[in-house]
């Protein structure tokens, strides 16, 4: 099993920045892929960014490209999401996710992941 714990959420005005963190514990060596998802009230959860642990290759949703950056520390235990130029539509609960299922063709879909954190709230006011 892999446990994931997010932190760093909060409230910020539009144009501001936040950095989310996700600490992984347990059988972390099993992970192939890790990423961030978000869910706004009344909407489905959507993939935001992902990073492949063997190559470091990153993927981003079009809505966050150029504004958000996903990264992981050298020990591959702490995942980050640097969020700049935040917009009110970025508001939601942000979830850290990890996968030990291998890497398929689509990495920003929920079905690609089998471990999830509890989420951290991000609120962006206009």
């Amino acid at each position: 099993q892999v446990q994931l714990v997010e932190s760093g959420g909060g409230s910020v005005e539009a144009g501001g920045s936040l950095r989310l963190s996700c600490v992984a514990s347990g059988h972390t060596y099993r992970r192939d892929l890790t990423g961030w998802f978000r869910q706004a009230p009344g909407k489905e959860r959507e993939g935001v960014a992902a990073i492949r642990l063997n190559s470091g290759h990153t993927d981003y949703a079009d809505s966050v490209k150029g504004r958000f950056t996903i990264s992981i520390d050298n020990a591959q235990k702490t995942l980050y999401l640097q969020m700049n130029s935040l917009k009110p539509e970025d508001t939601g609960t942000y979830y850290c996710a990890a996968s030990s299922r291998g890497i398929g063709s689509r990495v920003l879909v929920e079905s690609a992941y089998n471990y999830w954190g509890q989420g951290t709230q991000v609120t962006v006011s206009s």
Side-chain angles (χ1 to χ4, degrees):
Q1 293 293 323
V2 175
Q3 293 79 44
L4 303 170
V5 179
E6 305 96 334
S7 62
S11 296
V12 65
E13 292 185 351
S17 298
L18 283 173
R19 188 174 83 155
L20 306 183
S21 299
C22 170
V23 177
S25 61
H27 297 160
T28 58
Y29 62 90
R30 294 180 175 176
R31 297 169 300 155
D32 306 296
L33 177 71
T34 187
W36 292 95
F37 284 71
R38 68 184 180 189
Q39 187 168 23
K43 295 188 176 181
E44 293 185 353
R45 190 154 55 182
E46 63 173 352
V48 174
I51 185 166
R52 303 160 199 241
L53 296 180
N54 59 349
S55 66
H57 181 80
T58 57
D59 294 88
Y60 294 93
D62 287 343
S63 59
V64 306
K65 282 181 182 176
R67 300 189 299 123
F68 290 12
T69 302
I70 189 171
S71 62
I72 195 163
D73 69 347
N74 289 339
Q76 296 194 339
K77 294 292 181 69
T78 303
L79 180 71
Y80 301 100
L81 185 68
Q82 178 67 44
M83 305 186 294
N84 298 328
S85 304
L86 282 162
K87 304 176 181 180
E89 51 264 42
D90 294 319
T91 294
T93 303
Y94 282 69
Y95 298 90
C96 176
S99 173
S100 61
R101 296 173 173 171
I103 301 174
S105 58
R106 300 175 67 194
V107 298
L108 293 180
V109 295
E110 288 188 72
S111 59
Y113 298 84
N114 52 333
Y115 300 107
W116 294 88
Q118 293 300 307
T120 186
Q121 178 66 34
V122 171
T123 303
V124 184
S125 59
S126 57

